[in-house]
Every structure is written in structure tokens, then in C-alpha cells.
Amino acid sequence: MSKSAPRDEGTGYEMRKPAIKDDLVLVSRGTPMGELLRRYWHPVGLIKDANSVPRKVRVLGEDLILFRDGDGRAGLVHARCCHRGTTLYYGKVEQRGLRCCYHGWLFDVHGHCLEQPCEPNGGLFRNKVRQPWYPVQERYGLIFAYLGPPDRKPILPIYECLEVMGDGEFVEADDSSIGGGGPVIIPCNWLQHYENVVDPFHVPVLHASFSGAQFTLAMASMPNVTFESSPRGVVARSTRKTDDGKTFYRVTEAVLPTLRVVPNPRVAQFARVESIGWVLPIDDASFRIYVAGRVKEPGDLGRMRSKFNGKDWSQMTEDEHQRHPGDYEAQVGQGLITMHSEEHFAQSDRGLVILRWMFQEQLARVAQGRDPIGVSFDASTAPIVFEAGNYIRN
Amino acid sequence: MSKSAPRDEGTGYEMRKPAIKDDLVLVSRGTPMGELLRRYWHPVGLIKDANSVPRKVRVLGEDLILFRDGDGRAGLVHARCCHRGTTLYYGKVEQRGLRCCYHGWLFDVHGHCLEQPCEPNGGLFRNKVRQPWYPVQERYGLIFAYLGPPDRKPILPIYECLEVMGDGEFVEADDSSIGGGGPVIIPCNWLQHYENVVDPFHVPVLHASFSGAQFTLAMASMPNVTFESSPRGVVARSTRKTDDGKTFYRVTEAVLPTLRVVPNPRVAQFARVESIGWVLPIDDASFRIYVAGRVKEPGDLGRMRSKFNGKDWSQMTEDEHQRHPGDYEAQVGQGLITMHSEEHFAQSDRGLVILRWMFQEQLARVAQGRDPIGVSFDASTAPIVFEAGNYIRN
Amino acid sequence: MSKSAPRDEGTGYEMRKPAIKDDLVLVSRGTPMGELLRRYWHPVGLIKDANSVPRKVRVLGEDLILFRDGDGRAGLVHARCCHRGTTLYYGKVEQRGLRCCYHGWLFDVHGHCLEQPCEPNGGLFRNKVRQPWYPVQERYGLIFAYLGPPDRKPILPIYECLEVMGDGEFVEADDSSIGGGGPVIIPCNWLQHYENVVDPFHVPVLHASFSGAQFTLAMASMPNVTFESSPRGVVARSTRKTDDGKTFYRVTEAVLPTLRVVPNPRVAQFARVESIGWVLPIDDASFRIYVAGRVKEPGDLGRMRSKFNGKDWSQMTEDEHQRHPGDYEAQVGQGLITMHSEEHFAQSDRGLVILRWMFQEQLARVAQGRDPIGVSFDASTAPIVFEAGNYIRN
């Protein structure tokens, strides 16, 4: 062959077989991250989602049924009846619990079998069976569940930013995946979204030069950012000079394992963070976001959602999505689960490096039989105070 | 951690990895149940389904083509042409057989290659090839096929209940999955439905308190039931006291491997069973039901289908399905293939226990080179008489 | 059992487990055929497909983005950004290249990273990364790409039939899979279609007696055919007697690895071949066809597509497709990937035998570190002249 032409370098032919860091992304029971995530409480619905109609919820790859018995107790049980396996979605909610449609076994919110109407004498051995269930707690408009080992169940944390109200403020909850930039159920791995929380550099690119200034002009310039680990997770502190010579100082936090503590990107006011988002891994390849925040009017949280030319995301055409991408497009565009072997981190990715390092640290702790960061077993633990907020400095 | 709170017991976290009894449910050639099922004749269509238009049928995981040649002989052949593998669905039915669209090879109902028009002299070596085929027989309005080892092909059974007619009665066939409670093709494993046949206890729960009294009031009360194995399968004998002090005595039979011998649940009359349903496993994750029965008017079988507020199943909303589930919801609700490891049988499940035990017994027989229950190689075998029926006793 | 009835022979029960010749059909990098195919240039779009809107293309199982920078250079890059893996489909085309939407890295058509706006000083280490890319060339209205080992990149061949114009002729390109008999993307393995090119015998069956005389009457009779390997691939030479005692002589060629060199089956004139079709394997289970040909009027290529009673393929009903199948039905009817173990070749399949043998020969050459048939590294190589055409002989 002719040797005159230079050999092409860096072509796709030389790529190695791609690989995923399974430890960091998979969420099923028995996987490293699945076990780590199971050491914390996760939101599984709005308080009103638990009612007299059994509701399918999918959490960390588990299919569950949420309901509220006639005594007002919320229950979260394995979807398949422990008798013959049909789904309790077709069950009937009664005063004392949830009754399976097939043979009428009645379970309370702790999975106790109270009745077996097809059995002699109503089931003399019904104490021998138990419908798998999970403990729940209701707070901040949300229902939280604990899917982990019973002897490691921590307290459900209290957050200062949702406890100390300003004038006329109250806490509202939202289940529409605010912050996800797309539909309620987002079809990619949760970590792709969560890493975005410690990535303030993408804002002026994706959310300004690409989408048009999606947020406020104050966010459109490239910030100076420092990243640091905290006792809760990763803190990113950004500074930008303002036109009047002051400093716009913005702090965002990723609080392990899944909390987005991100001040309003529209910077309506300079103040401490007003909401928390919980990224809920539905399974390995989809997630959703629950948010609770201080508001002054019902619906304030929903009004934080971005619009494009007055359109919701679902109203945009494919062409508009291509020309004006947002977080959804950037993160789902990484694939169902991104190929970590193909990544090339730079200095601006330092937040991700710290975040992954902290996750690896927690995986090691759990593997060693220790408790991961941020869990407490002491009911008198003080409310958690975040550093996050938008601030102005002279 | 605090030890004050009691440890939660019976939560989902303690569930073991689920498992399926493959031996009992999988139907492909070479699997234990697949081989057992292949020792019997199965309905694969209505008699009229075999005609001059090739018809796709899927049976026990095999893709086949059903047709009827110009001489009136029904044929059932492997869907892929033995020449180059294109589907004979696009073939043309002729006087002597079915001709492939691609190169015109003509096959008779026994797979003999009669013509090879692209070959020299019409194909001097056409005897060297054979299109895989299966023997069929037509009876009771249905086409039955035998997919098993040729040297174990039994006679096609004759059933007394479809032979001895009452006044004005004739046999009608139906292919719409009567008894399945849903669409024609039901997306779950066949055994989930078949086990329901020996489960009379679910009737007063699922078909009365849940759906409203779907059948007759006589069926709405909890019966006394005895289960027993028979020379054909499993017999369930239910008794209920009637308001006038008599005894309503109902017998249902599961006749191995797939026959539903279930008297009309609407109890139009007290009499021996009037129809047989054959559960046909399409593949591991779907099935359909063929029925043949004695009727007085064409369409009587179809009129046995349940309605809800005058609606067919397909006309009901998702909300109506959730609030008023039936057999379809209960069985498909167990999943594509139920997780047997999660089941907890009780005394009312004794019919299933006997049924599975009988299946295991037949699997062992086949594995030992013996013939399973109910097969006969003697053409003079007497018609099979069932015990099933609705009866009244003083 | 009774031994009176003869044992059924040749039933489907005796079929062996089917198998696929992976070496011949799979197209990913690292597979034998995938590596062979990567020694040649393949069309990946029309010239106009490379423009200022990033375009998804899938070639040999690889997801790529096609674009054209502001300087008019076409680029073809790995779809996932080498930084954090989001798809460059959402990127912005600029003067010097394609900019990722997420963090703004700018890549030129050779994958060089020109800007990293989130990095200090615009990215001092941007030379350390390279976006995987592939070389492209534009010719005959098409964009060709080379996805193989850089040191084995051959010249892009020149074809006489697309260089030497007749009176008023010019070259037109088409991307609608002319010759595939169906939609643009055809859901089966590419080889099922490509083997059809060396199968002239199917024409009088599939395209005449089945579909009605789809082409010209001259094609409806069974030809005499000889098959031969050539320095380019496989040649099929068919002769048919015409009504006026002359000989209709037709030559088709399969030019390795994927060229269809097939004269117009409508035989508008007796002349050398006027077009080339390239079968592009999209992945293992789908392909499309690009065509370039000499025409006199724009749109002439598209007018070659077959119609049925004036209907396009997509306008036909399922019933019409079943009764009047064409190439699409015959080839897709073989399955996503045909089961080679079930084939029975006859004398009329000799073209396929030679074709597969030639492919096996090339696989062996590549495995031995040699170059396969038809590649040249000499830019002064003469245009390739085909034998293909429709001719008339006295």
C-alpha cells in the first residue's frame, strides 16, 4: 500500500470496548450502591398518594403497593401477595388494611395477615405468613420509606430549611421531577442526573448559550468555582462579579446519597436555599425527583419549571429539543447508563471526582459493616443546616 | 445506634432471590414440561381456520403455518421453508399443497416436496428434503395437532360430553378464550390459568365480593370442597347449602395436561358438564383457550362470557379493571411467570398441590421412558366420561 | 401401543436446535465480518445530509453524528462526547466544528478538541483528548466513510458506470432503499438481502407468478443461469429466448462486500448497468440501501421503485402483502437473522454458495493479516468496469 498519506489518528476504530462502573450506578438489592441507598429513607410518593386506591410504586427496582388503611395509616407492601403472588394493585383497601382480590387475604400496614376467608376458621395458621412490607413516615408533604436492613434503620432527618419558615411561608411538595428538565419519569440512570448537581460549569453553556438564557442573566457568565467535601456530601461554591462591582456568591450541595440542595437558579432573591430535591432511582435505568420547599403560594414549586417560548417540555417539537437542549437532553443523551470508560474528566469536573470518591468511601464503609455518612440513630439529632443559597457580597 | 425501638420484622429487605419452577412451566421442545405436553394432542385452530390463506399459529413456542390444500386436507408445517427459510405465510395454497413464495417449492401436508420449479427437471433431488410438519386431526369443530415424538403418538381422545347430545343440541367450537376473563391472547404463563381450575375457593372472593356477583348467587357463598386425584387429573367437589335446604353439588375437573372441565358457572341448569376448554400454551409467557361445547343455538358459547355493566372486558377502563378484577387480572397480576419461591400455600390450595404433584409424577414417567396419564394408543378406547357438572341433592 | 400405523416421518419434533453462522452475518467491530466490512468505504448519507444540523447515523452497529462545519467540511464522529458522554446530536455546528451542548467542548471534523470553555484558560490540556472520528469522502452524491484500521484505509473506488455519461445523463443518488422492496430501514440482517442479488431464479417465482409480473414480461420466464466468481465478487449470467428468436442476456454482479450491480429489472433498454446499490448494514438486524445511478431526469431513480396497483409498499394492506409478497416479505420473512442450520441448498442456489465461499475466503485473508478482494491503495487505480447489463443477442 501507499505510505504517502499520513495515518489517521484517533479514529473510532481504536476505541476500546466500553464499560460501566456497576458499583456506582446499579440500585437493586444486593448490589453495592443498592445496599448503600438502602441505608437511607427515600420519598416514594406525596402524602395524598397513599389513599384508598392501591397505587403502584417502583423504588430501587422493587415493585411495591402504597395505600392508606381506614385508620389513616399509610402502608407500603411488596406488590405480589405472599399467598399466590397476584398483585395487590387489584386489592381492596379496608379499615384494617389491604385485601387481596384473589382469595381475600387481608394484610395490615406491617404485613400481618389478619384474615384468610377461604381457610377453615378464617385461617388458624395465618400468623405463619407475612406480606413483605416497608416502614414509612410522612413529612414535608412526602411519604418516606426505608427499604434497608431493619437493624440499621436511621431516623428520618429533619432539615432546617424546611422547618424555619419566613413570613407567610409554608412547605409544599411536588412530584413532577422539577429540576429534571423533562417528563416525570426520566429514562436514564439516576447518577447521570445527580452528578449534574455538582457541575455548575454546565450552566452558562447548556442553560445560556445553547438554550438561550434559560435562567437569569446572573447565571449566564462563567463562574469561579471551588469544590469541597462536607460532612454531608459535596459543596460547590461559585462566585461571579456583578455589573455593580459586587460578588454573586452561590452555593449548591449534593447531600448523600440523593439530595439536590440547589438554590433557585432564577435567583429570585438572595437567601438560603428554599427547597430540597430527592432523586429517586426507580430502577437502574430511570429515576424521578420529589421536591419539598418553602413557598408563599400553592403551586410556587411548579412555577419554577423552565419553559421555552412559553411551552412546556412536552409541547416542544423534536427540532426544538435538538436546537435548545436542557438537562434532560444532556443527561438522557448520555444513554440509559453512561459508559464510564469513555469519560475524560477535566478540572471543571472536580465536583464529580469528589462525589464519586465520597460514594466509593461509603460503599467501603457499608462493605465493612459500618454506617455511611449522614445517618443518625438518635431521635434528638438537631435539624440539618445547609450552606446552600444565593448570596450577594460587597 | 439506639436500641429502644423494636426491630422491624418481615420487611421486604429479607426476601430471598425469587425463583421459578422451570420444570413445571416452560413449554419449549426439550424442556421437561414441553416434552410432557408434546405427548398429547392440542387444539391449534378452528376447523375453518385451515383454508386457502396460510395462517400463522404459534404452539408451545413453535411458529407454524396452518392451511388446507385443494383436496381438503388440513396441513400444519414449520413456518420457515426448508429451502432458504422464508416464512410460508407468504406461500400460495394449491390443489396439492402449499407453495413457497420465494423459489416456488411445493409441499404437501406431510411436508413432501412435490415441485422445485427453479431446479433442473423440476428437482431431481426433491425427495432429499422434507418440510417439517405435524399430524393434525379435526374433531369437535377444532383442529388438533400432535407435536411430540412420532412413535408415542396417542389416539385423539373422544369425550362423552361432546358425543351424547341432548334434545336439539349440537357441538360448537370457540377460539376466543372463554374462561380467561380477558383478551384472546393472555400474556402470562399457561399454568397460572390452569391452576385456577382447581381453585374453587377464589370464586366467592374474586367473582363475588370483588367483582360483584359475577356469576349466579348460588356461587357467591364459600363452598365446602374436597380435592382428589382421578385417573384423568384432579377433581374438586364443592357443596353449598341452598336456601330451600337442598345441597348444590358442583364438580370441576382439571384433566391433564390442559383440559378445563368446568360446568357453567352461571348454573343455567343442574346437569353434567356441557363443554371442555383446552388451555393452549402459545409459549412460556402467553396462552389462549379453545372451547368445544354442546349448545342449542349458534353462539351460545360466546354468550357465556362475563360482562361488567354490559361492557366487554376490552371496553372497561383501567379504573374499572382495578376496582372489579376478574380471572385475567388475578392471573396476569402474578406476572409473566409467577415466582414460585414466594408462594405460601394454605389448606384451600390443596387442589394445586395435588395438580403439581400429578404433573411432577408425569414428568418423572416421561423421563423414565414411560407414557403419561391419559394417553391411549388403542383406537377402540371408550369415550371419556367426566364426573364434572352442577347437581342438586336433597 | 399399537404398531399398526406407520410412524410419522420428518415431523418438526425431529428438528435440531437452530444455529446461525455468526461469522458471516454479524457486523460489530471485532467480529470477523465486522472487521472485513471495515476494510471498505461505505455510504453513510447523501451529500446534503451533512449540514449544519447534527444528524444521527448508525453504521455497522456504531452510533455516529454526521455534520458539515462552516468551512464546508463534512465530519463523522462518535455520537458520545469524549468528555462526559452526552450525544453530540444536541451539539451546535460552528465555523470550525461541532460544539457539545453540555460543557461546550468544540471538535473539528478530525476530532481535535479546539475549545474547552469551562476549563482554565480555555483548556490547556485539550490536546490530550480526541473525539473519535472517521474519515469521509464525498462522491456520486453520497458521503462515504471508512470505519476500519487506519493503516489499511484503501482508496475510494471509482466506477466506470458512474463516470462515463451517455447523452444528457448525470449521476443522481437515492437513500430510500430502492431494491429492498419495502421501507427505508429494513428489519433483517443485511446478508439476507445481499444473497438475493446472486439469486436470479427467484425472479420468475416471487416477482412474476406471486406478485403478478412485477417487472417486464421478459423477466417472467425461467432463465438459464451460470454463476462464476470474478475478481470483484460473483457474476450471474442469465439467458432467456425471446419471442423473435433472439437471446436476452442479462448479467448481474455482487461486488464484495456490499455492492448490488443489478441492471434495471424493467429492461427499459439493452445496455450496460446504469446504477450501483450499496447495502449498508445498520447493525446485525437492519440495513438500508443507498443507490447512485446515471439518469436523464431528476427523480428517475425513485421512479424505479415497484408499485402494486398504483400503491407504494407502505400503502398496501397486510392482506395485499400476504397475497403479493416481494423481496421485502421474502427476506424479512426469513427472520431477523435467518437460521443457517435449517437451509437446504439446491443447484439453483449456486450463486449463494460461491458468494459465501468468497466471503469465507476474505475472512481468512483478513485473519491472516492480508487485504481482502477489491481494495486498492493506489490513487491512480483505473475505474472499475462491470460486466453487468441487459443485452440482446441474435
Side-chain angles (χ1 to χ4, degrees):
Chain A
M1 66 173 280
S2 160
K3 292 292 182 196
S4 59
R7 185 179 173 286
D8 295 325
E9 293 184 339
T11 75
Y13 186 76
E14 288 151 55
M15 295 180 75
R16 277 178 293 178
K17 219 177 175 65
I20 290 170
K21 290 185 194 290
D22 286 350
D23 278 16
L24 279 179
V25 297
L26 304 186
V27 300
S28 293
R29 195 148 44 92
T31 62
M33 182 57 83
E35 290 298 316
L36 173 58
L37 290 169
R38 278 171 178 75
R39 296 300 184 90
Y40 299 88
W41 292 85
H42 295 272
V44 300
L46 300 178
I47 283 181
K48 68 179 180 187
D49 289 341
N51 55 48
S52 65
V53 180
R55 182 184 180 89
K56 295 178 186 176
V57 298
R58 188 164 161 83
V59 179
L60 302 179
E62 300 188 32
D63 288 306
L64 307 170
I65 298 293
L66 180 67
F67 68 101
R68 188 181 302 277
D69 70 18
D71 289 332
R73 298 181 303 173
L76 182 68
V77 293
H78 186 50
R80 292 166 50 80
C81 175
C82 65
H83 176 210
R84 293 263 295 278
T86 204
T87 174
L88 294 171
Y89 169 72
Y90 294 115
K92 194 180 288 177
V93 175
E94 302 189 356
Q95 189 67 26
R96 298 195 298 160
L98 177 58
R99 187 183 295 278
C100 179
C101 75
Y102 207 178
H103 302 88
W105 290 17
L106 177 68
F107 304 103
D108 74 9
V109 296
H110 297 111
H112 296 109
C113 185
L114 306 180
E115 296 183 12
Q116 296 180 334
C118 302
E119 289 295 290
N121 301 306
L124 295 177
F125 306 102
R126 62 177 183 265
N127 290 333
K128 303 269 186 194
V129 295
R130 185 90 175 247
Q131 180 63 21
W133 66 285
Y134 288 117
V136 295
Q137 288 192 60
E138 308 187 39
R139 187 174 295 168
Y140 305 138
L142 298 168
I143 299 176
F144 290 86
Y146 177 74
L147 278 67
D151 57 358
R152 310 313 295 164
K153 184 174 74 174
I155 62 158
L156 176 62
I158 296 172
Y159 302 101
E160 182 269 351
C161 70
L162 299 179
E163 297 285 339
V164 180
M165 296 294 116
D167 196 27
E169 285 183 339
F170 60 95
V171 169
E172 181 180 43
D174 181 280
D175 65 350
S176 69
S177 292
I178 292 172
V184 174
I185 309 289
I186 300 181
C188 71
N189 183 266
W190 66 283
L191 190 60
Q192 283 154 233
H193 175 82
Y194 195 54
E195 291 181 337
N196 186 261
V197 174
V198 290
D199 177 10
F201 287 111
H202 81 280
V203 174
V205 177
L206 183 65
H207 299 300
S209 73
F210 266 78
S211 63
Q214 186 180 333
F215 305 141
T216 179
L217 272 177
M219 297 284 283
S221 64
M222 193 64 65
N224 286 312
V225 186
T226 61
F227 298 100
E228 202 171 35
S229 63
S230 79
R232 298 177 296 277
V234 180
V235 182
R237 302 181 184 90
S238 307
T239 54
R240 292 174 173 90
K241 284 288 167 197
T242 61
D243 290 342
D244 53 0
K246 296 181 177 172
T247 297
F248 167 31
Y249 177 62
R250 176 176 165 86
V251 180
T252 59
E253 295 185 60
V255 173
L256 264 52
T258 60
L259 272 66
R260 298 165 36 96
V261 186
V262 179
N264 189 337
R266 280 178 197 70
V267 196
Q269 53 186 347
F270 294 104
R272 65 184 169 130
V273 69
E274 65 279 85
S275 69
I276 300 173
W278 287 262
V279 179
L280 178 71
I282 295 172
D283 48 30
D284 296 335
S286 66
F287 70 92
R288 62 184 302 167
I289 304 170
Y290 288 97
V291 174
R294 303 191 316 275
V295 298
K296 294 196 169 174
E297 300 289 337
D300 273 357
L301 287 182
R303 282 186 281 275
M304 284 175 61
R305 298 190 69 91
S306 294
K307 297 222 176 197
F308 172 80
N309 285 347
K311 291 180 184 177
D312 288 334
W313 180 87
S314 64
Q315 296 169 318
M316 294 171 69
T317 64
E318 173 58 24
D319 182 63
E320 288 172 332
H321 285 308
Q322 188 183 12
R323 287 165 190 266
H324 305 282
D327 281 323
Y328 175 87
E329 286 72 25
Q331 293 158 28
V332 173
Q334 293 171 317
L336 277 183
I337 305 182
T338 198
M339 302 295 177
H340 301 97
S341 63
E342 295 184 357
E343 295 171 329
H344 290 86
F345 281 179
Q347 295 184 55
S348 51
D349 300 303
R350 193 166 144 65
L352 276 76
V353 173
I354 298 174
L355 183 68
R356 290 193 190 174
W357 172 85
M358 286 194 78
F359 269 128
Q360 294 287 8
E361 172 74 12
Q362 310 318 311
L363 296 178
R365 283 202 207 180
V366 170
Q368 293 158 7
R370 296 160 60 205
D371 292 309
I373 194 171
V375 305
S376 168
F377 302 96
D378 179 358
S380 63
T381 303
I384 296 168
V385 182
F386 299 125
E387 181 186 338
N390 291 318
Y391 308 101
I392 198 80
R393 290 174 169 178
N394 291 316
Chain B
M1 67 172 282
S2 159
K3 291 295 181 194
S4 60
R7 184 180 172 286
D8 295 325
E9 292 184 340
T11 75
Y13 185 77
E14 288 151 54
M15 294 180 74
R16 276 178 294 178
K17 218 179 176 63
I20 290 170
K21 291 186 192 290
D22 286 349
D23 279 14
L24 279 179
V25 297
L26 304 186
V27 301
S28 293
R29 196 149 41 93
T31 62
M33 182 57 84
E35 290 298 315
L36 174 58
L37 291 168
R38 277 172 177 74
R39 296 301 186 88
Y40 299 88
W41 292 85
H42 295 272
V44 299
L46 300 177
I47 283 180
K48 68 179 180 186
D49 289 342
N51 56 46
S52 64
V53 180
R55 183 183 180 88
K56 295 178 187 176
V57 298
R58 188 165 162 83
V59 179
L60 302 178
E62 300 189 32
D63 287 307
L64 308 170
I65 297 293
L66 180 66
F67 69 100
R68 188 180 302 278
D69 71 17
D71 289 333
R73 298 181 302 175
L76 183 68
V77 293
H78 186 50
R80 292 167 49 82
C81 175
C82 65
H83 176 211
R84 294 262 295 277
T86 204
T87 174
L88 294 170
Y89 169 72
Y90 294 115
K92 194 181 288 176
V93 174
E94 301 189 356
Q95 190 68 25
R96 298 195 297 161
L98 177 58
R99 188 183 295 278
C100 179
C101 74
Y102 207 179
H103 302 89
W105 290 19
L106 177 68
F107 303 103
D108 73 10
V109 295
H110 298 109
H112 296 109
C113 185
L114 306 179
E115 295 182 15
Q116 297 180 334
C118 302
E119 288 296 290
N121 302 304
L124 295 176
F125 304 102
R126 62 177 182 266
N127 291 333
K128 303 269 185 193
V129 295
R130 186 92 175 246
Q131 179 64 20
W133 67 285
Y134 287 117
V136 295
Q137 288 191 60
E138 307 186 40
R139 187 174 295 168
Y140 305 137
L142 298 169
I143 299 177
F144 291 85
Y146 177 74
L147 277 68
D151 57 357
R152 310 311 296 163
K153 184 174 73 175
I155 62 158
L156 176 63
I158 296 172
Y159 302 101
E160 181 268 350
C161 70
L162 299 180
E163 297 285 339
V164 180
M165 299 292 117
D167 196 27
E169 286 183 337
F170 60 96
V171 170
E172 182 181 41
D174 181 279
D175 65 350
S176 68
S177 292
I178 292 171
V184 174
I185 309 289
I186 299 179
C188 71
N189 183 265
W190 66 282
L191 189 60
Q192 282 153 235
H193 176 83
Y194 195 54
E195 290 181 338
N196 186 261
V197 174
V198 291
D199 176 10
F201 287 111
H202 81 280
V203 174
V205 177
L206 183 65
H207 300 299
S209 72
F210 267 79
S211 62
Q214 185 180 336
F215 305 140
T216 179
L217 272 177
M219 297 285 283
S221 63
M222 194 64 65
N224 287 312
V225 186
T226 61
F227 298 100
E228 200 172 35
S229 63
S230 80
R232 297 177 298 276
V234 179
V235 183
R237 301 182 184 92
S238 307
T239 54
R240 292 173 172 92
K241 284 290 168 194
T242 62
D243 291 342
D244 54 359
K246 296 182 179 173
T247 298
F248 167 31
Y249 177 62
R250 176 176 164 86
V251 181
T252 59
E253 295 185 60
V255 174
L256 264 51
T258 60
L259 273 64
R260 297 167 37 97
V261 187
V262 179
N264 189 336
R266 278 176 198 73
V267 197
Q269 54 186 347
F270 295 104
R272 66 186 169 129
V273 70
E274 64 279 84
S275 69
I276 300 173
W278 287 263
V279 179
L280 177 71
I282 295 172
D283 48 30
D284 296 335
S286 67
F287 70 92
R288 63 186 299 169
I289 304 169
Y290 287 97
V291 173
R294 301 191 317 275
V295 298
K296 293 195 171 176
E297 300 289 338
D300 273 356
L301 288 182
R303 283 185 282 274
M304 284 174 61
R305 298 191 69 91
S306 293
K307 298 224 174 196
F308 173 80
N309 284 348
K311 292 181 184 178
D312 288 333
W313 179 89
S314 64
Q315 297 169 318
M316 293 171 69
T317 64
E318 173 58 24
D319 182 63
E320 287 171 331
H321 284 308
Q322 188 184 12
R323 288 167 190 265
H324 304 282
D327 282 324
Y328 174 87
E329 285 73 25
Q331 294 158 28
V332 173
Q334 293 171 316
L336 277 184
I337 305 181
T338 198
M339 301 296 177
H340 301 97
S341 62
E342 296 185 356
E343 295 170 330
H344 291 86
F345 282 179
Q347 294 184 58
S348 50
D349 300 302
R350 192 165 145 66
L352 276 77
V353 173
I354 298 174
L355 183 68
R356 290 193 189 174
W357 172 84
M358 287 194 80
F359 270 127
Q360 295 285 9
E361 172 75 12
Q362 311 318 311
L363 295 178
R365 281 202 207 179
V366 170
Q368 292 158 7
R370 296 160 59 205
D371 294 309
I373 194 171
V375 305
S376 168
F377 303 96
D378 179 358
S380 63
T381 303
I384 295 167
V385 182
F386 299 125
E387 182 187 337
N390 291 319
Y391 308 100
I392 197 80
R393 288 175 171 176
N394 288 318
Chain C
M1 66 174 284
S2 159
K3 292 293 181 193
S4 60
R7 184 180 171 286
D8 296 324
E9 293 185 338
T11 76
Y13 185 77
E14 288 152 54
M15 294 181 74
R16 277 178 292 177
K17 218 178 175 65
I20 290 170
K21 291 185 193 292
D22 286 350
D23 278 15
L24 279 179
V25 297
L26 304 186
V27 302
S28 293
R29 195 148 41 94
T31 63
M33 182 57 82
E35 291 298 315
L36 174 58
L37 290 168
R38 278 171 177 74
R39 296 301 185 87
Y40 299 87
W41 292 85
H42 294 273
V44 300
L46 300 177
I47 284 181
K48 67 179 181 188
D49 289 342
N51 56 48
S52 64
V53 180
R55 183 184 179 88
K56 295 178 186 175
V57 298
R58 188 164 160 84
V59 178
L60 303 178
E62 301 188 31
D63 287 308
L64 307 170
I65 297 292
L66 181 66
F67 69 101
R68 189 180 302 278
D69 69 18
D71 289 333
R73 297 180 303 174
L76 183 68
V77 293
H78 187 50
R80 292 167 49 82
C81 175
C82 65
H83 176 209
R84 293 262 296 276
T86 203
T87 175
L88 294 170
Y89 169 72
Y90 294 115
K92 194 180 288 177
V93 174
E94 302 189 356
Q95 189 68 24
R96 298 194 297 161
L98 178 58
R99 187 183 295 278
C100 179
C101 75
Y102 207 178
H103 302 88
W105 290 18
L106 177 68
F107 304 103
D108 73 9
V109 295
H110 297 110
H112 296 109
C113 185
L114 307 180
E115 296 182 12
Q116 296 180 333
C118 302
E119 289 296 291
N121 303 305
L124 295 176
F125 305 102
R126 61 176 184 266
N127 290 333
K128 303 269 186 196
V129 295
R130 186 92 174 246
Q131 178 65 19
W133 67 286
Y134 288 117
V136 296
Q137 288 192 60
E138 306 186 41
R139 188 175 293 167
Y140 305 136
L142 298 169
I143 299 176
F144 291 86
Y146 177 74
L147 278 68
D151 57 358
R152 310 312 295 162
K153 183 174 74 174
I155 61 159
L156 176 62
I158 297 172
Y159 301 101
E160 182 270 350
C161 71
L162 299 179
E163 298 285 339
V164 180
M165 298 291 119
D167 196 27
E169 287 182 337
F170 61 94
V171 170
E172 182 180 43
D174 181 279
D175 65 351
S176 69
S177 292
I178 293 171
V184 174
I185 309 289
I186 300 180
C188 72
N189 183 264
W190 66 284
L191 190 61
Q192 283 154 233
H193 176 82
Y194 195 54
E195 291 181 336
N196 186 262
V197 174
V198 290
D199 177 8
F201 286 111
H202 82 280
V203 174
V205 176
L206 183 66
H207 300 299
S209 72
F210 266 79
S211 62
Q214 184 180 337
F215 305 141
T216 180
L217 271 177
M219 297 285 282
S221 63
M222 194 63 66
N224 286 313
V225 186
T226 61
F227 297 99
E228 202 172 34
S229 64
S230 79
R232 298 177 296 277
V234 179
V235 183
R237 302 181 184 93
S238 306
T239 55
R240 291 174 173 91
K241 283 290 167 192
T242 63
D243 290 342
D244 54 0
K246 294 180 179 173
T247 297
F248 167 32
Y249 177 63
R250 175 176 167 86
V251 181
T252 60
E253 296 184 59
V255 174
L256 266 50
T258 60
L259 274 64
R260 299 166 35 98
V261 187
V262 179
N264 188 334
R266 278 177 196 72
V267 198
Q269 53 186 347
F270 294 104
R272 65 186 169 128
V273 70
E274 63 279 84
S275 70
I276 299 173
W278 287 262
V279 179
L280 177 72
I282 295 172
D283 48 31
D284 296 335
S286 65
F287 70 92
R288 62 185 302 168
I289 305 170
Y290 287 98
V291 174
R294 302 191 316 275
V295 298
K296 293 194 172 175
E297 300 289 339
D300 273 356
L301 287 182
R303 283 185 281 274
M304 284 173 61
R305 298 191 70 91
S306 294
K307 298 224 173 193
F308 173 79
N309 285 346
K311 292 181 184 176
D312 289 333
W313 180 89
S314 64
Q315 297 168 318
M316 293 171 69
T317 64
E318 174 56 23
D319 182 63
E320 288 172 331
H321 284 309
Q322 187 184 12
R323 288 166 190 265
H324 305 282
D327 281 323
Y328 175 87
E329 285 74 24
Q331 294 158 28
V332 172
Q334 292 171 317
L336 275 185
I337 304 182
T338 198
M339 301 296 177
H340 300 98
S341 63
E342 295 185 357
E343 295 171 330
H344 291 87
F345 281 179
Q347 294 184 55
S348 50
D349 299 303
R350 192 165 144 66
L352 276 76
V353 173
I354 298 175
L355 182 68
R356 290 193 190 174
W357 172 84
M358 286 194 79
F359 270 127
Q360 294 286 10
E361 172 73 14
Q362 311 317 312
L363 295 179
R365 282 202 207 180
V366 170
Q368 292 159 7
R370 297 160 60 204
D371 293 309
I373 194 171
V375 305
S376 167
F377 302 97
D378 179 358
S380 64
T381 303
I384 294 167
V385 182
F386 298 125
E387 183 186 336
N390 291 317
Y391 308 101
I392 197 79
R393 288 174 170 177
N394 290 316

